[in-house]
């Protein structure tokens, strides 16, 4: 058997970036390439970013908050609303209100400028992981109101699991996912159980 034979290099994640300041956009593209990502499209405004995202269907979109024609928050809303790809927002401000607006628009993580190359990968991986969680939840729940309630329950349960079992956010999600499969329950039922009754057995991953 040749199962253990190493595979070829994994296909790099494709990225579309939108930033109206050309120098920052070029720097960002360079950082991404150095980290092994494939920058497949670049835009200087939010409208062009949406068009590129729809055309290229990248694995990730990075948007600056302040851009001409259409700002990053409006672009994020369109891209996230169509579930095209996870969105990372770039902002020069760590203002809570702006970050909240970006999150409500569908951004999965954000970076405050100026940022370093070492800040980039964790923000991207968090966005990709959260996007995968939401996609998984939505494949389980078709009704829009139920989706919202499911996401709320899962987010609350993840917080409890992170605290009680010292898990990362993605480990807490996997705990809910695995428990739901093991018990043949929905993830919402498992999450609501955790919120109402706490963690069964007190510890287990």
């Amino acid at each position: 058997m040749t199962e253990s034979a190493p595979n070829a290099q994994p296909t790099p994640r494709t990225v579309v970036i939108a930033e109206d300041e050309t120098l920052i956009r070029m720097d960002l593209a360079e950082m991404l390439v150095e980290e092994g990502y494939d920058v497949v499209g670049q835009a200087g405004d939010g409208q062009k970013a949406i068009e590129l995202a729809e055309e290229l269907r990248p694995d990730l979109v990075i948007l600056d908050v302040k851009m001409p024609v259409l700002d990053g928050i409006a672009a994020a809303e369109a891209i996230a609303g169509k579930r095209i790809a996870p969105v990372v927002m770039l902002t020069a401000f760590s203002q809570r209100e702006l970050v909240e607006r970006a999150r409500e628009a569908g951004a999965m993580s954000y970076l405050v400028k100026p940022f370093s190359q070492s800040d980039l990968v964790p923000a991207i991986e968090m966005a990709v992981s959260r996007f995968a969680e939401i996609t998984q939840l939505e494949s389980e729940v078709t009704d829009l109101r139920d989706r919202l309630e499911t996401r709320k329950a899962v987010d609350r349960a993840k917080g409890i699991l992170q605290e009680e079992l010292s898990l990362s956010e993605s480990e807490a999600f996997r705990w809910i996912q695995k428990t739901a499969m093991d018990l043949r329950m929905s993830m919402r039922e498992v999450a609501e159980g955790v919120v109402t009754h706490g963690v069964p057995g007190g510890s287990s991953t």
Side-chain angles (χ1 to χ4, degrees):
M1 286 177 64
T2 56
E3 269 177 46
S4 57
N7 290 327
Q9 282 290 87
T11 309
R13 290 195 207 282
T14 54
V15 187
V16 164
I17 55 180
E19 160 66 71
D20 61 323
E21 292 183 50
T22 310
L23 278 175
I24 295 176
R25 191 168 74 237
M26 286 166 65
D27 277 350
L28 177 59
E30 195 177 314
M31 282 184 198
L32 287 162
V33 169
E34 283 175 10
E35 291 293 343
Y37 297 93
D38 181 10
V39 179
V40 292
Q42 298 187 33
D45 66 73
Q47 184 57 47
K48 181 68 176 167
I50 294 170
E51 289 166 13
L52 284 174
E54 288 178 336
E55 179 194 339
L56 300 169
R57 297 276 156 175
D59 298 317
L60 179 79
V61 179
I62 301 179
L63 301 170
D64 187 37
V65 167
K66 306 264 184 184
M67 287 189 291
V69 186
L70 198 67
D71 70 17
I73 289 175
E77 201 161 19
I79 292 164
K82 293 175 183 173
R83 294 289 177 262
I84 294 171
V87 173
V88 175
M89 297 297 295
L90 303 178
T91 172
F93 321 93
S94 52
Q95 293 167 327
R96 195 168 196 82
E97 183 215 342
L98 210 54
V99 170
E100 279 305 315
R101 278 182 59 211
R103 191 171 287 141
E104 282 165 16
M108 299 287 149
S109 66
Y110 70 96
L111 279 168
V112 179
K113 294 188 281 189
F115 53 85
S116 67
Q117 197 158 324
S118 60
D119 299 326
L120 196 56
V121 175
I124 288 173
E125 293 309 316
M126 182 186 286
V128 169
S129 163
R130 285 181 173 165
F131 185 77
E133 286 181 15
I134 286 170
T135 308
Q136 168 72 32
L137 285 177
E138 290 183 349
S139 70
E140 189 179 278
V141 185
T142 50
D143 181 76
L144 204 57
R145 189 178 297 166
D146 281 351
R147 277 185 184 181
L148 196 60
E149 291 307 314
T150 297
R151 278 178 61 183
K152 280 184 189 169
V154 168
D155 281 343
R156 282 198 295 268
K158 280 195 304 186
I160 293 166
L161 290 164
Q162 283 175 263
E163 195 172 315
E164 292 198 16
L165 303 182
S166 303
L167 301 178
S168 70
E169 188 176 347
S170 58
E171 285 169 342
F173 182 80
R174 284 198 297 272
W175 187 99
I176 295 168
Q177 201 175 23
K178 182 178 183 304
T179 304
M181 287 168 70
D182 290 347
L183 300 179
R184 292 182 171 78
M185 295 166 73
S186 71
M187 283 193 281
R188 178 177 176 180
E189 287 170 326
V190 171
E192 287 174 344
V194 169
V195 171
T196 308
H197 306 293
V199 182
S203 72
S204 150
T205 51

